[in-house]
Amino acid sequence: MIKKKPITEFLKTIIILLLFQLSTSSHRKPPPLPILPIPKSRQISWQIAEMALFLHFGTNTFTDSEWGTGHVDPSIFNPKLLNATQWVTVAKDFGFKRVVLTAKHHDGFCLWPSKYTDYSVKSSPWRNGVGDIVADLAEAARNGGLELGLYLSPWDRHEHCYGETLEYNEYYMGQMTELLTRYGEIKYVFLDGAKGDGEKDMEYFFDDWFSLIHQLQPGASIFSDVGPDTRWVGNENGVAGSTCWSLFNGSEVKIGGYSDARYSAEGDAFGQDWVPAECDVSIRSGWFWHASEKPKSAMTLLDLYYKSVGRNCPLLLNVPPNSSGLISDEDIHVLKEFSELRNSIFSHNLAKSALLSASSIRGDPNDSQFSPKNVIEEGLYTYWAPDQGQQSDWTLYLEFQQVITFNVLGLQEPIQMGQRIIEFHLDMLDENGKWQHVVNGTTVGYRRLLLFPTVKSHLLRLVIDKSKVFPLISHLGIYMDSYTVPRHVSDDTHTKSKFINNLFFRRTAYNQSQSASI
Ligand code: FUL
């Protein structure tokens, strides 16, 4: 009797310990810490849109000019067939998620009936002066499920108080308030830094403007040369740096000043603020419609897509409505072709048929939470995370049942966790069982696309060579672009240039990782 008690107690303790161990070992490993700075939610929603349609429209459309003098008679403005639904339909049909209208360009003419000036649609013959283009577009965008953005030029060549700092800032903020309170949700505001030489000097109260915009429309991302939400990429050609950080120091750049174009295009690996770049470019050479100009070809737009969206920057593509108030057929034709090209290339991710494994996996390898398989799923919130203890050579392997033929690599980081990757490369196993270098890249960010001469293999490895902290990858795409001649597209590809000698070691590493794959 006396002896039995301790045995029962002992067994009890063992059972409790086992249960405890079972319960703790079934705990999931939480996600890793983000690396600061990280994007605000409005910046994430702005970025995932990827492409926006810019609409430059106003008196310039009727005077064949780019920078209106501000003294053109409003009677010239009469877009008889204007149909904002057509603009939205074109945007929506061809993959644009947002429309951005020049509510007021530098000439000061307002496309909405502002109470602060008569220089607007209300003084024009269009719809007998009772029309409102911002209202039309807001309604069409809402109906079509697209976001709306507005451009309100700070430089105003018509308004008499331009040059009087206090008075004009009040005027500008009054107009901004009209735009942000009358038309429902506004998701984006474009603040242009341009101003002609020799024009009246004055100070813009940017901090007041930014605060007002965020107060009235907290979901709106503000574009300017320095942000605060998205920065100008530093050129109007639609081309980002082949290294492109969303990190940036706004204090290094002056709005409207002559700044360092390279800094704007590449960002700053050590930047304190999250201010990703946006690439703005026009489908024609001018921003406004001119009868004499033709749109760029679909192949040129595809090239720009690789150099903007494919370099971590949304593309803001300007497609100016013509003087009848419609987007021209020839522009629509090109946009259609551009959309077909993208669909044909990117709708077929060859990586989906691969067996995916990794050099290490965070947490329990039998749990899908941080599995390498996550990289073929769309979206930012599923990702591969390596084990925190792995310090270098973070690697993903893709093994195919058959040899695949491809020439594009696409990568995405879960940017809500910060931008991490500094350098990576892709290798493939050739027909002699030797690793061949396919392509190098630097930053990834929201999306990176690299185009290179076509290669064939059944085994690939993506190696992250340098990262601020251990990398995270939310998407990996392997595609075939049969339309582009690669050397015209990518300036940072090095194909089959490096021969890897330590094949045995690498193979061993691969075999080890295979056992970790799930
Ligand atoms: C520039 C302006 O001067 C152009 O007219 C155009 O609006 C472009 C997007 O920004 O700075």
Side-chain angles (χ1 to χ4, degrees), residues 348-352 354 356-357 372-379 382 384 395-398 400 404 406 408-413 424-426 447-449 460-464 473-479:
H348 189 42
N349 181 6
L350 296 165
K352 283 188 176 167
L356 280 140
S357 58
K373 279 185 187 164
N374 292 340
V375 302
I376 52 167
E377 278 175 39
E378 299 291 338
T382 46
W384 164 61
T395 307
L396 276 175
Y397 298 90
L398 292 92
F400 298 85
I404 57 153
F406 64 100
V408 178
L409 168 69
L411 289 174
Q412 289 188 262
E413 287 183 83
F424 63 91
H425 72 272
L426 181 73
R447 191 184 290 288
R448 188 66 201 261
L449 295 170
L460 313 178
R461 68 177 177 201
L462 172 77
V463 185
I464 311 301
I473 294 186
S474 58
H475 192 255
L476 187 152
I478 300 286
Y479 310 100

Side-chain angles (χ1 to χ4, degrees), residues 145-182:
L146 293 197
E147 294 178 359
L148 177 61
L150 296 172
Y151 171 123
L152 183 68
S153 171
W155 181 32
D156 188 322
R157 302 178 96 180
H158 178 84
E159 177 49 37
H160 69 89
C161 74
Y162 187 86
E164 304 295 329
T165 293
L166 179 62
E167 228 187 305
Y168 183 74
N169 276 282
E170 288 173 352
Y171 175 80
Y172 187 85
M173 289 177 75
Q175 290 203 319
M176 185 66 85
T177 303
E178 288 182 333
L179 290 175
L180 301 187
T181 54
R182 285 188 189 175

